[in-house]
Amino acid sequence: MILLRTWAPTCTTRSSPLSNWLKSCTTTSRRTAATAAALKSAPEQEDAPPSVRYTLTDQDRKKLAFQRNIGISAHIDSGKTTLTERVLYYTGRIREIHEVRGRDSVGAKMDSMDLEREKGITIQSAATFCDWEATDLARDGKKQKYSINIIDTPGHVDFTIEVERALRVLDGAVLVLCAVAGVQSQTTTVDRQMRRYNVPRISFINKMDRPGANPWRIVQQIRTKLRMPAAAVQVPIGVEDEFKGVVDLVNWKAIYNQGVKGNEVIVSDEIPESVKALATEKRAELMEQLAEVDEALGEIVLMDETPTNVDIADAIRRATVGLKFSPVFMGSAIKNTGVQPLLDGVCNYLPNPSESEVLAHDTENPSAPQVALSPAADAPLVGLAFKLEEGRFGQLTYMRVYQGTLKKAMQIFNARTGKKVKVPRLVRMHSNEMEDVDHIGPGEICAMFGVECSSGDTFTDGSTNYSMTSMYVPDPVISLSLKPKGIETPNFSRALNRFQKEDPTFKVHVDHESKETIISGMGELHLEIYVERMRREYNVDCITGKPQVAFRETITGRAEFSYTHKKQTGGAGQYAKVIGHIEPMEVDPETGKDVAFESVVMGGNIPTNFIPAVEKGFYEALEKGSLSGNPITGCRLVLKDGAFHAVDSSELAFRLATIGAFREIYRNAKPVILEPIMTVEVVAPVEFQSQVIGGLNTRRGTIIDSEVRDDEFTAIAEVALNDMFGYSNQLRGSTQGKGEFSMEYKHHMPVLPNVQKELEDEYRKTLPAAKK
């Protein structure tokens, strides 16, 4: 869920079109274009997208300067929700702290779903907003009140779309790492998502109280595994269970947490002797890392001058906003230590909404360069709907406003459909609670009720034709068949439709051959959660199973037939005789068909008006083979001759004669069962190459190609779909969660003789006794 701080609307006058092209002179960061473009004093921007920029008023700048939109992301069980709980407590949003798996069974505020509280995991991203009075120690402890919107995201790769769409609309992020485990598989995924949307991040090494905590190893992992220049801005005072505070390396202060649940922050000028030498060394390392990524600080260091605390703090901010650096904070959320300095770091080092470059497409001129948006309150409205949720009062749509002001009862236009809708209710979210508001300003996140749309839709006020790019949606990697227990109720399809709308990675289709409902998603936990939600929220119990593989049958030899169909039941009977042969057929490259009917009947032995009935009977016979009950492919029937009766012959008689002839000689044509073969592409770190190739070999895979580049490798193999079930979990297990795979259909190939026998026996058991 997403929550935002709302502000009073600002009244500004619109600037003249091209006179407001501006350029920031304070930073070279590509993320500062939006803010920079609003400064009147800067020179004209030459290479910016050709758009009309709206001047930010002093009121706009003042509001945006003290606003932060951040996400909290990390690997599973790194402490994201626990950290968010402390942030809400210290900012006064909640009165009591409740743990994720607490004994009081209340659960953390941001885990509002019963399933989340039972399993102790985050399933849906949740949003909230809070105010924090940040202390800038570099500037004599000056305090400023900031408004912070926070989205707490899941850590499981199965719910990766929640992280994806949160980072799509946020200006900054806190990457939480465990002080023992460090950079893990999902940390790498989250890092990739942050890079995709150019989101600056500060890192927070959590769980510093755990035995084996080693923050310096984690800092090195951030540099090597995530390839992000990083340095600690704090040094821990005490280790493991002795951990009681941190040394601020930028401002050379010791910071301790005291009082009830750490709500008192004690700042001391006296650095403990036990850590002074280490702190001096790490401060020099911080300046060395910053000098490599920040020109201004680099020049100061080259001139052999000593940078001031303000110089260091400004360099950290410039490098962080410019995506060149990540400052690393330390603490223990569960022990209520180091959270307030992290909040100060969020306010001091992460960008405000005007410092993020936001681009949109002009739908009237698709070939034109993208247009830069400006977070001015009086500019035309542009917002992105990034998440949908079924609420008590209808569909709840989460929206980030990038430009202009969104007001209650306002008419807005959906850029994708062109439809005009009215905003009946506007709220900002605090987990599962809502606060009604009248308007939302630029750079904020809110939720609307009663607006029908899809995830990723752009909304405008109708005066522009801007459309924003949607978020990246990964393809599903696992499927299950699903059927309700007992009689199917309308709730079954209602639940599936709702889940599909809310979650773009959850797909549903009906297999037209097996007639099974197939659900696809990002992992077994992903699908398991939805099946459980169907039971709880819609009272629909479901049975899951592996989907029926689309087997086929074909013939490998030619077989002649001569078949007479006779039936006398009193009155006009049925009579038809067909003579010809069936033979294997290759796929026609032009039409793509691999079944065909051909008639070479001469002399009128079968009247021409009965030939279509023979063809219809042939295609009907192909629908179900007698080996396994699957469709038959790769077969041609040639009709050579036959006989008819003047009275008893009919279309029905010739259709039944063809079906009977086909089934009688089908076994003589040496039929085989075919199975779908998939082209599987696996990408994993190079150290897991032997495990991946071994895993594919155990599934009867044929390695077609493998390529090693840098520190990862790609293997391409052909594997039968029937052997691919459960591969998702096996790959994650054998590569520590770092491997990914995709597969696509290639062709059908004959199954092994033992598999064919099993399939035939299985099919025979399903037949009535008379047909066996």
Side-chain angles (χ1 to χ4, degrees), residues 561-567 573-580 597 599 601 604-621 637 639-663:
F561 63 83
S562 176
Y563 185 84
T564 305
H565 171 70
K566 284 186 198 173
K567 194 172 185 183
Q574 292 179 13
Y575 177 87
K577 183 176 182 179
V578 287
I579 301 171
F597 170 80
S599 170
V601 177
N605 288 346
I606 299 178
T608 52
N609 56 318
F610 291 147
I611 301 292
V614 177
E615 184 177 4
K616 191 174 179 184
F618 167 60
Y619 286 120
E620 196 173 315
L637 184 142
L639 182 64
K640 298 177 180 174
D641 203 352
F644 74 103
H645 186 275
V647 176
D648 291 349
S649 288
S650 63
E651 288 189 3
L652 174 64
F654 274 98
R655 185 165 63 85
L656 294 176
T658 311
I659 294 170
F662 187 88
R663 289 181 179 161

Coordinates of all heavy atoms in Angstrom, one line a residue, residues 561-567 573-580 597 599 601 604-621 637 639-663:
F561 N -6.6 -48.9 -46.4 CA -7.9 -49.3 -45.8 C -8.9 -49.5 -46.9 O -8.9 -49.0 -48.0 CB -8.3 -48.2 -44.8 CG -8.7 -46.9 -45.4 CD1 -9.9 -46.6 -46.0 CD2 -7.7 -45.8 -45.4 CE1 -10.2 -45.4 -46.6 CE2 -8.0 -44.6 -46.0 CZ -9.2 -44.4 -46.5
S562 N -9.8 -50.5 -46.5 CA -11.1 -50.7 -47.3 C -12.1 -51.1 -46.3 O -12.1 -52.1 -45.7 CB -10.8 -51.9 -48.3 OG -12.0 -52.2 -49.0
Y563 N -13.0 -50.1 -46.1 CA -14.0 -50.3 -45.0 C -15.4 -50.0 -45.4 O -15.7 -49.1 -46.2 CB -13.6 -49.3 -43.9 CG -14.4 -49.4 -42.6 CD1 -14.1 -50.3 -41.6 CD2 -15.5 -48.6 -42.4 CE1 -14.8 -50.4 -40.4 CE2 -16.3 -48.7 -41.2 CZ -15.9 -49.6 -40.2 OH -16.6 -49.7 -39.1
T564 N -16.3 -50.9 -45.0 CA -17.7 -50.8 -45.3 C -18.5 -50.6 -44.1 O -18.4 -51.3 -43.1 CB -18.2 -52.1 -46.0 OG1 -17.4 -52.3 -47.2 CG2 -19.7 -51.9 -46.5
H565 N -19.3 -49.5 -44.1 CA -20.2 -49.2 -43.0 C -21.6 -49.6 -43.4 O -22.2 -49.0 -44.3 CB -20.1 -47.8 -42.6 CG -21.1 -47.3 -41.6 ND1 -21.0 -47.7 -40.3 CD2 -22.2 -46.5 -41.7 CE1 -22.0 -47.2 -39.6 NE2 -22.8 -46.4 -40.5
K566 N -22.2 -50.6 -42.6 CA -23.6 -51.0 -42.9 C -24.4 -50.9 -41.6 O -23.9 -51.3 -40.6 CB -23.7 -52.4 -43.4 CG -23.2 -52.6 -44.8 CD -23.5 -54.1 -45.2 CE -22.7 -54.5 -46.4 NZ -22.8 -56.0 -46.6
K567 N -25.6 -50.4 -41.7 CA -26.5 -50.4 -40.6 C -27.9 -50.4 -41.0 O -28.3 -49.6 -41.8 CB -26.2 -49.2 -39.7 CG -26.8 -49.3 -38.3 CD -26.3 -48.1 -37.5 CE -26.8 -48.2 -36.0 NZ -26.4 -47.1 -35.2
G573 N -31.7 -47.5 -44.1 CA -30.5 -47.8 -43.3 C -29.3 -46.9 -43.6 O -29.5 -45.8 -44.1
Q574 N -28.1 -47.4 -43.3 CA -26.9 -46.6 -43.5 C -25.9 -47.5 -44.3 O -25.7 -48.6 -43.9 CB -26.3 -46.1 -42.2 CG -27.1 -45.1 -41.4 CD -26.4 -44.7 -40.1 OE1 -25.2 -45.0 -39.9 NE2 -27.2 -44.1 -39.2
Y575 N -25.4 -46.9 -45.4 CA -24.4 -47.7 -46.1 C -23.4 -46.8 -46.7 O -23.7 -45.7 -47.3 CB -25.1 -48.5 -47.3 CG -24.1 -49.3 -48.1 CD1 -23.7 -50.6 -47.8 CD2 -23.6 -48.7 -49.3 CE1 -22.8 -51.2 -48.5 CE2 -22.6 -49.4 -50.0 CZ -22.2 -50.6 -49.7 OH -21.3 -51.3 -50.4
A576 N -22.1 -47.2 -46.6 CA -21.0 -46.4 -47.2 C -19.8 -47.3 -47.2 O -19.5 -48.0 -46.3 CB -20.8 -45.1 -46.4
K577 N -19.0 -47.2 -48.3 CA -17.8 -47.9 -48.4 C -16.7 -46.9 -48.9 O -16.9 -46.1 -49.8 CB -17.9 -49.0 -49.4 CG -16.6 -49.9 -49.5 CD -16.8 -51.1 -50.5 CE -15.6 -51.9 -50.5 NZ -15.7 -53.1 -51.4
V578 N -15.5 -47.0 -48.1 CA -14.4 -46.1 -48.5 C -13.1 -46.9 -48.7 O -12.9 -47.9 -47.9 CB -14.2 -45.0 -47.4 CG1 -15.3 -44.0 -47.4 CG2 -14.1 -45.6 -46.0
I579 N -12.3 -46.6 -49.7 CA -11.1 -47.3 -49.9 C -10.0 -46.2 -50.1 O -10.2 -45.2 -50.8 CB -11.2 -48.2 -51.2 CG1 -12.3 -49.2 -51.1 CG2 -9.9 -48.8 -51.5 CD1 -12.6 -50.0 -52.3
G580 N -8.8 -46.4 -49.6 CA -7.7 -45.5 -49.7 C -6.6 -45.8 -48.8 O -6.4 -47.0 -48.4
F597 N -6.4 -33.8 -46.3 CA -7.3 -34.8 -47.0 C -7.2 -34.6 -48.5 O -7.2 -33.5 -49.0 CB -8.7 -34.5 -46.5 CG -9.7 -35.3 -47.2 CD1 -10.0 -36.7 -46.9 CD2 -10.5 -34.7 -48.3 CE1 -10.9 -37.4 -47.6 CE2 -11.4 -35.5 -49.0 CZ -11.6 -36.8 -48.7
S599 N -8.7 -36.3 -52.2 CA -9.7 -37.3 -52.9 C -9.2 -37.5 -54.4 O -9.1 -36.5 -55.1 CB -11.1 -36.7 -52.8 OG -11.9 -37.5 -53.7
V601 N -10.9 -39.9 -56.2 CA -12.0 -40.8 -56.6 C -12.4 -40.5 -58.1 O -12.6 -39.3 -58.4 CB -13.2 -40.7 -55.7 CG1 -14.4 -41.6 -56.2 CG2 -12.9 -41.0 -54.3
G604 N -17.2 -41.4 -60.3 CA -18.5 -41.2 -59.6 C -18.8 -42.3 -58.7 O -20.0 -42.5 -58.3
N605 N -17.8 -43.2 -58.2 CA -18.1 -44.2 -57.3 C -18.6 -43.7 -56.0 O -19.4 -44.4 -55.3 CB -16.9 -45.2 -57.1 CG -16.6 -46.0 -58.3 OD1 -17.5 -46.1 -59.2 ND2 -15.5 -46.6 -58.4
I606 N -18.1 -42.5 -55.6 CA -18.7 -41.8 -54.5 C -19.2 -40.4 -55.0 O -18.4 -39.7 -55.5 CB -17.6 -41.6 -53.4 CG1 -17.1 -42.9 -52.8 CG2 -18.2 -40.8 -52.2 CD1 -16.0 -42.8 -51.8
P607 N -20.5 -40.2 -54.9 CA -21.0 -38.9 -55.4 C -20.2 -37.7 -54.7 O -19.9 -37.8 -53.5 CB -22.5 -38.9 -54.9 CG -22.8 -40.3 -54.8 CD -21.5 -41.0 -54.3
T608 N -20.0 -36.7 -55.5 CA -19.2 -35.5 -55.0 C -19.9 -34.9 -53.8 O -19.2 -34.3 -53.0 CB -19.1 -34.5 -56.1 OG1 -20.4 -34.2 -56.6 CG2 -18.2 -35.0 -57.2
N609 N -21.2 -35.0 -53.6 CA -21.8 -34.3 -52.5 C -21.5 -35.1 -51.2 O -21.7 -34.6 -50.1 CB -23.3 -34.2 -52.6 CG -24.0 -35.5 -52.9 OD1 -23.5 -36.3 -53.7 ND2 -25.1 -35.8 -52.3
F610 N -20.9 -36.3 -51.2 CA -20.6 -37.0 -50.0 C -19.1 -36.9 -49.7 O -18.6 -37.3 -48.6 CB -20.9 -38.5 -50.2 CG -22.4 -38.8 -50.2 CD1 -22.8 -39.9 -51.0 CD2 -23.2 -38.1 -49.5 CE1 -24.2 -40.2 -51.0 CE2 -24.6 -38.3 -49.5 CZ -25.1 -39.4 -50.3
I611 N -18.3 -36.3 -50.6 CA -16.8 -36.2 -50.3 C -16.6 -35.3 -49.1 O -15.7 -35.6 -48.3 CB -16.1 -35.6 -51.6 CG1 -16.3 -36.5 -52.8 CG2 -14.6 -35.4 -51.3 CD1 -15.6 -37.9 -52.7
P612 N -17.2 -34.1 -48.9 CA -17.0 -33.3 -47.7 C -17.3 -34.1 -46.4 O -16.7 -33.9 -45.4 CB -18.0 -32.2 -47.9 CG -18.2 -32.1 -49.4 CD -18.2 -33.5 -49.9
A613 N -18.3 -35.0 -46.5 CA -18.6 -35.8 -45.3 C -17.4 -36.7 -44.9 O -17.1 -36.9 -43.8 CB -19.8 -36.6 -45.5
V614 N -16.7 -37.3 -46.0 CA -15.6 -38.1 -45.7 C -14.4 -37.3 -45.1 O -13.8 -37.7 -44.1 CB -15.1 -38.7 -47.1 CG1 -13.8 -39.6 -46.8 CG2 -16.1 -39.6 -47.7
E615 N -14.2 -36.1 -45.6 CA -13.2 -35.2 -45.1 C -13.5 -34.8 -43.6 O -12.7 -34.8 -42.7 CB -13.1 -33.9 -45.9 CG -12.0 -32.9 -45.5 CD -11.9 -31.7 -46.4 OE1 -12.8 -31.6 -47.3 OE2 -11.0 -30.9 -46.1
K616 N -14.8 -34.5 -43.3 CA -15.2 -34.2 -42.0 C -15.0 -35.4 -41.0 O -14.5 -35.2 -39.9 CB -16.7 -33.8 -42.0 CG -17.2 -33.2 -40.7 CD -18.6 -32.7 -40.8 CE -19.1 -32.1 -39.5 NZ -20.5 -31.7 -39.6
G617 N -15.3 -36.6 -41.5 CA -15.0 -37.8 -40.7 C -13.6 -37.9 -40.4 O -13.2 -38.3 -39.2
F618 N -12.7 -37.6 -41.3 CA -11.2 -37.8 -41.1 C -10.7 -36.8 -40.1 O -10.0 -37.2 -39.1 CB -10.5 -37.5 -42.5 CG -9.0 -37.3 -42.4 CD1 -8.2 -38.3 -41.9 CD2 -8.4 -36.1 -42.8 CE1 -6.8 -38.1 -41.8 CE2 -7.1 -35.9 -42.7 CZ -6.3 -36.9 -42.2
Y619 N -11.2 -35.5 -40.2 CA -10.7 -34.6 -39.2 C -11.3 -34.9 -37.8 O -10.6 -34.6 -36.8 CB -11.1 -33.1 -39.6 CG -10.2 -32.6 -40.7 CD1 -10.8 -32.2 -42.0 CD2 -8.9 -32.5 -40.6 CE1 -10.0 -31.8 -43.0 CE2 -8.0 -32.1 -41.6 CZ -8.6 -31.7 -42.8 OH -7.8 -31.3 -43.8
E620 N -12.5 -35.4 -37.7 CA -13.1 -35.8 -36.5 C -12.3 -37.0 -35.8 O -12.0 -37.0 -34.6 CB -14.5 -36.3 -36.7 CG -15.3 -36.3 -35.4 CD -16.8 -36.6 -35.6 OE1 -17.4 -35.9 -36.5 OE2 -17.3 -37.4 -34.9
A621 N -11.8 -37.9 -36.7 CA -11.0 -39.0 -36.2 C -9.7 -38.6 -35.6 O -9.1 -39.2 -34.7 CB -10.8 -40.0 -37.3
L637 N -4.7 -38.3 -45.4 CA -5.6 -39.4 -45.9 C -5.9 -39.2 -47.4 O -6.3 -38.1 -47.8 CB -6.9 -39.4 -45.1 CG -7.9 -40.5 -45.4 CD1 -8.6 -41.1 -44.1 CD2 -9.0 -40.1 -46.4
L639 N -8.3 -40.6 -50.4 CA -9.5 -41.4 -50.7 C -9.4 -41.8 -52.2 O -9.3 -40.9 -53.0 CB -10.7 -40.6 -50.4 CG -12.1 -41.2 -50.7 CD1 -12.3 -42.4 -49.7 CD2 -13.2 -40.2 -50.5
K640 N -9.3 -43.1 -52.4 CA -9.2 -43.6 -53.8 C -10.5 -44.0 -54.5 O -10.7 -43.9 -55.6 CB -8.2 -44.7 -53.9 CG -6.8 -44.4 -53.4 CD -5.9 -45.6 -53.4 CE -4.5 -45.3 -52.9 NZ -3.7 -46.5 -52.8
D641 N -11.3 -44.7 -53.7 CA -12.5 -45.4 -54.3 C -13.5 -45.6 -53.2 O -13.2 -45.3 -52.0 CB -12.0 -46.7 -54.9 CG -13.0 -47.1 -56.0 OD1 -14.1 -46.5 -56.1 OD2 -12.8 -48.1 -56.7
G642 N -14.6 -46.2 -53.6 CA -15.7 -46.5 -52.6 C -16.9 -46.9 -53.3 O -16.9 -47.2 -54.5
A643 N -18.0 -47.0 -52.6 CA -19.3 -47.4 -53.1 C -20.4 -46.8 -52.3 O -20.2 -46.4 -51.2 CB -19.4 -49.0 -53.1
F644 N -21.6 -46.6 -52.9 CA -22.7 -46.0 -52.2 C -24.0 -46.8 -52.6 O -24.0 -47.5 -53.6 CB -22.8 -44.5 -52.6 CG -23.3 -44.3 -54.0 CD1 -24.6 -43.8 -54.1 CD2 -22.5 -44.4 -55.1 CE1 -25.1 -43.6 -55.4 CE2 -23.0 -44.1 -56.3 CZ -24.3 -43.7 -56.5
H645 N -25.0 -46.5 -51.9 CA -26.3 -47.1 -52.1 C -27.3 -45.9 -52.4 O -27.2 -44.9 -51.7 CB -26.8 -47.8 -50.9 CG -28.1 -48.6 -51.1 ND1 -29.3 -48.0 -50.9 CD2 -28.3 -49.9 -51.5 CE1 -30.2 -48.9 -51.2 NE2 -29.6 -50.1 -51.5
A646 N -28.1 -46.1 -53.4 CA -29.0 -45.0 -53.9 C -29.9 -44.5 -52.7 O -30.2 -43.3 -52.7 CB -29.8 -45.5 -55.1
V647 N -30.3 -45.4 -51.9 CA -31.3 -45.0 -50.8 C -30.6 -44.8 -49.5 O -30.8 -43.9 -48.8 CB -32.4 -46.1 -50.7 CG1 -33.3 -45.7 -49.5 CG2 -33.2 -46.2 -52.0
D648 N -29.8 -45.8 -49.1 CA -29.2 -45.9 -47.7 C -28.0 -45.0 -47.5 O -27.6 -44.7 -46.4 CB -28.8 -47.3 -47.3 CG -30.1 -48.2 -47.2 OD1 -31.2 -47.6 -47.2 OD2 -30.0 -49.4 -47.1
S649 N -27.3 -44.6 -48.5 CA -26.1 -43.7 -48.3 C -26.5 -42.3 -48.0 O -27.5 -41.8 -48.5 CB -25.3 -43.7 -49.6 OG -24.7 -45.0 -49.8
S650 N -25.7 -41.7 -47.1 CA -26.0 -40.4 -46.6 C -24.6 -39.8 -46.1 O -23.6 -40.5 -46.0 CB -27.0 -40.4 -45.4 OG -26.4 -41.1 -44.3
E651 N -24.7 -38.5 -45.8 CA -23.5 -37.8 -45.3 C -23.0 -38.5 -44.0 O -21.8 -38.7 -43.7 CB -23.7 -36.3 -45.1 CG -23.8 -35.6 -46.4 CD -23.8 -34.1 -46.2 OE1 -23.7 -33.6 -45.0 OE2 -23.9 -33.3 -47.2
L652 N -24.0 -38.8 -43.1 CA -23.7 -39.4 -41.8 C -23.0 -40.7 -42.0 O -22.0 -41.1 -41.4 CB -25.0 -39.6 -41.0 CG -24.9 -40.4 -39.7 CD1 -24.0 -39.6 -38.7 CD2 -26.2 -40.6 -39.1
A653 N -23.5 -41.5 -43.0 CA -23.0 -42.9 -43.3 C -21.5 -42.8 -43.7 O -20.6 -43.5 -43.2 CB -23.8 -43.6 -44.3
F654 N -21.2 -41.8 -44.6 CA -19.8 -41.7 -45.1 C -18.9 -41.1 -44.0 O -17.7 -41.5 -43.9 CB -19.8 -40.8 -46.3 CG -20.0 -41.6 -47.6 CD1 -21.3 -41.7 -48.2 CD2 -19.0 -42.4 -48.2 CE1 -21.5 -42.4 -49.3 CE2 -19.2 -43.1 -49.3 CZ -20.4 -43.2 -49.9
R655 N -19.4 -40.2 -43.1 CA -18.6 -39.7 -42.0 C -18.3 -40.8 -41.1 O -17.1 -41.0 -40.7 CB -19.4 -38.6 -41.3 CG -18.6 -37.9 -40.2 CD -19.3 -36.6 -39.8 NE -20.6 -36.8 -39.2 CZ -20.8 -37.1 -37.9 NH1 -19.7 -37.2 -37.1 NH2 -22.0 -37.2 -37.4
L656 N -19.2 -41.7 -40.7 CA -19.0 -42.8 -39.8 C -18.1 -43.8 -40.4 O -17.2 -44.4 -39.7 CB -20.3 -43.4 -39.3 CG -21.2 -42.5 -38.5 CD1 -22.5 -43.2 -38.2 CD2 -20.5 -42.1 -37.2
A657 N -18.2 -44.0 -41.7 CA -17.4 -45.0 -42.4 C -15.9 -44.6 -42.4 O -15.0 -45.4 -42.2 CB -17.8 -45.1 -43.9
T658 N -15.7 -43.3 -42.6 CA -14.3 -42.7 -42.5 C -13.7 -42.9 -41.1 O -12.5 -43.3 -41.0 CB -14.2 -41.3 -43.0 OG1 -15.0 -41.1 -44.2 CG2 -12.8 -40.8 -43.2
I659 N -14.5 -42.6 -40.1 CA -14.0 -42.7 -38.7 C -13.6 -44.1 -38.4 O -12.6 -44.5 -37.9 CB -15.0 -42.1 -37.7 CG1 -15.2 -40.6 -37.9 CG2 -14.6 -42.5 -36.3 CD1 -16.3 -40.0 -37.1
G660 N -14.6 -45.0 -38.9 CA -14.3 -46.5 -38.6 C -13.1 -47.0 -39.3 O -12.3 -47.8 -38.8
A661 N -12.9 -46.6 -40.6 CA -11.8 -47.0 -41.4 C -10.5 -46.5 -40.8 O -9.5 -47.3 -40.7 CB -11.9 -46.5 -42.8
F662 N -10.5 -45.3 -40.3 CA -9.2 -44.7 -39.7 C -8.9 -45.5 -38.5 O -7.7 -45.8 -38.3 CB -9.5 -43.2 -39.4 CG -8.2 -42.5 -39.0 CD1 -7.4 -41.9 -39.9 CD2 -7.9 -42.4 -37.6 CE1 -6.2 -41.3 -39.5 CE2 -6.7 -41.8 -37.2 CZ -5.9 -41.2 -38.2
R663 N -9.8 -45.7 -37.6 CA -9.5 -46.4 -36.3 C -9.1 -47.8 -36.5 O -8.3 -48.4 -35.8 CB -10.7 -46.2 -35.4 CG -10.9 -44.8 -34.9 CD -12.0 -44.6 -33.9 NE -12.0 -43.2 -33.5 CZ -13.1 -42.6 -32.9 NH1 -14.2 -43.4 -32.8 NH2 -13.1 -41.4 -32.6

